[in-house]
Amino acid sequence: MRAFLVAVLAAAPVALAAQEASPYVPLNHWAMPYVEHLISAGVIVDPTPLTRPLRQTAVLQALAAADTTGVSAGVLATMHRLIEEWRLEERRPHYRVELSLGAAAANFAFRDPLDLDRGLPPRELDSHGFGNGGADVQLRFGPLVAVTHPVVDTRLTYDPDWYATTDNATRFAEAYVSGQWRWAEVFFGILDRNWGPSGIQGVLLSANPYSMDHWALALGTQGIQLQSVATQLDTRTNSTGAPVNRYIVLNRLWMRPRGRWALALWDAGVISGVGRQLEPWLLNPASITYFRASSATINTFVGVDVERRGATTLFGQVMLDDIQVSRNDATDLEPASFALTVGAKGKVRSAAVTWTAYYTQAANVAYRTPESAESPLYFGLGTGRNFADYDQATLKLSVLARPSLLLESEVTALRQGEGDPRLPYPVVSEYPTTPVLFQGVVERIVRLALGGSWQVGGLSITGNGGVHFVHNVAHATGASKTAWIGSIGLTYRFHRQHLLP
């Protein structure tokens, strides 16, 4: 059996050499926890550090190039399962259709258990059973790929973050067209993205906003790229009732020189105004929005992402919005606005066990601006983080207990102040008394949890359960509670693929 699996992995490049345009592996795809485990263990090389999602062919190439010497049969079998999920036998244009049907039960309807007791209004426990179904259709023809993935999920009707008001159990998880060439990609559509360390919400671009249509451009090689994302945010109205158009543009220089390092330098701008449009200068990826902001009303951000791969991989991300250096008058006392993440990951002796540890923080007024229309919110959701005025320390342990059975434990300590991205920005007279971090009474949450995912043929079994110890509940001094939070789900998937006529 082991010899067979090694032979399959060794033969994979023959099929991969024929690949051209490739669909992306969605961030919530069942395979991603296994892929991230293999990357953390050093079994495969991260195809695009600090950037998610990954392309299917990039994952296959990483699996095929892996050195499997000393790797257990369970890890090899999981790698084979991933290869069989996406491997193609033909280069010619073809289609792939995957249908899914599932059921789940949980005592919460929001996506992240750590959202419990946080935000405006606070997320609360609410037990329900859910049903879901979807159809993932992919078309590939030469350098072009088209994907549409409508889903029906009754959980959405209870999710406080889902903004649809009619037919509110239906959405497009992915829906895009992409032209991919050797040194360029042009993209338009819906696809969850994350800029920054993998598995952690990016500070300004993450999977937090639901179904956000956007343009994306990438120019360059496998070692250096100029990347750009642009989208229209939801339109608001001003005090006179006039519609205010809002946009966000993010540009990034991503670099992975030969060796262990990956680095990305980026800037972004939120643009708003009555009758405002995305002028050409805003869409210029070769210029720096920060230095051109003086010519228009725009809220600018700058940031850096970094990773050093090794037996212990180190990573970090920093975003600066507004840091006051001078102290000449009252307006210079504005509180600092920033967000950051630092962490590390690696394996514990064998590739079957990996760990991830990180610390992250978002300042009190991060994502808020004096002009509320210039905040990076999409239908009330942050394009990066959905919360501010908090810090969090997390340790996770991932165990590949047997082929396609992945178990994960988590310990998180979180402190949440009363600041929130949806609150008004402090007025100038409030600057001296507005804290940089932890406004008001600080809520403290400790989460202990266990989760797992098991793929048995076309059946996916997932579950997660934990206990939250909460102090200063709802920012009330001395109020405490213990909350149990959990979910379990079953999903059956099957797919067909064939040549296009």
Side-chain angles (χ1 to χ4, degrees), residues 2 6 11 19 30 53 68 74-75 79 90 92 108 159 171 231 244 247 253 289 306 309 319 384 422 428 435 473 483:
R2 182 183 177 90
V6 173
Q19 299 309 299
W30 67 261
T68 56
V75 173
M79 296 170 70
E90 293 279 354
R92 289 177 290 172
F108 64 101
D159 188 343
R171 79 178 186 101
T231 189
V244 178
Y247 307 88
L253 178 62
T289 306
V306 63
R309 181 170 57 90
M319 177 195 78
R422 289 154 283 270
V428 174
V473 180

Side-chain angles (χ1 to χ4, degrees), residues 14 41 91 102 116 139 150 193 240 288 301 308 335 365 381 419 449:
V14 176
R91 175 177 179 175
L116 181 63
L139 304 177
R193 294 182 183 271
T240 67
I288 300 175
F301 305 82
R308 184 187 184 278
V365 296
L381 299 174

Side-chain angles (χ1 to χ4, degrees), residues 245-482:
N245 297 332
R246 305 169 58 244
Y247 307 88
I248 186 170
V249 178
L250 304 99
N251 296 312
R252 186 166 78 149
L253 178 62
W254 176 88
M255 296 168 283
R256 182 175 59 177
R258 293 182 179 179
R260 299 177 180 272
W261 290 90
L263 177 70
L265 305 174
W266 54 269
D267 79 327
V270 179
I271 307 103
S272 68
V274 176
R276 193 71 187 270
Q277 301 297 320
L278 267 178
E279 295 92 348
W281 71 268
L282 296 170
L283 292 171
N284 184 354
S287 66
I288 300 175
T289 306
Y290 180 83
F291 293 116
R292 306 190 71 183
S294 58
S295 62
T297 303
I298 181 171
N299 181 25
T300 58
F301 305 82
V302 294
V304 58
D305 311 332
V306 63
E307 179 178 290
R308 184 187 184 278
R309 181 170 57 90
T312 297
T313 295
L314 306 176
F315 54 79
Q317 181 177 50
V318 176
M319 177 195 78
L320 300 180
D321 180 6
D322 195 356
I323 305 294
Q324 294 294 331
V325 177
S326 61
R327 289 290 187 269
N328 298 323
D329 54 46
T331 60
D332 292 335
L333 300 179
E334 187 176 7
S337 178
F338 63 89
L340 60 88
T341 294
V342 293
K345 60 185 178 181
K347 67 179 180 180
V348 181
R349 294 187 179 181
S350 75
V353 183
T354 66
W355 60 274
T356 301
Y358 66 90
Y359 173 81
T360 191
Q361 181 183 112
N364 180 11
V365 296
Y367 314 119
R368 285 194 271 171
T369 64
E371 176 53 61
S372 63
E374 295 175 5
S375 59
L377 298 177
Y378 180 75
F379 290 98
L381 299 174
T383 57
R385 304 283 174 86
N386 205 29
F387 303 100
D389 197 23
Y390 79 96
D391 72 348
Q392 173 186 337
T394 293
L395 173 64
K396 293 184 178 181
L397 194 68
S398 176
V399 180
L400 193 57
R402 56 175 299 172
S404 300
L405 174 59
L406 190 66
L407 304 176
E408 186 177 75
S409 62
E410 175 189 346
V411 178
T412 290
L414 186 148
R415 297 181 294 178
Q416 176 68 62
E418 295 186 47
D420 188 274
R422 289 154 283 270
L423 289 173
Y425 198 79
V427 297
V428 174
S429 62
E430 296 173 328
Y431 285 178
T433 58
T434 301
V436 173
L437 190 66
F438 300 142
Q439 178 176 323
V441 177
V442 178
E443 183 180 63
R444 292 177 172 83
I445 302 170
V446 175
R447 170 175 166 82
L448 307 176
L450 294 172
S453 174
W454 192 15
Q455 310 302 318
V456 186
L459 183 66
S460 176
I461 305 170
T462 59
N464 190 284
V467 58
H468 291 201
F469 302 98
V470 188
H471 183 63
N472 293 342
V473 180
H475 306 286
T477 302
S480 298
K481 75 174 184 180
T482 300

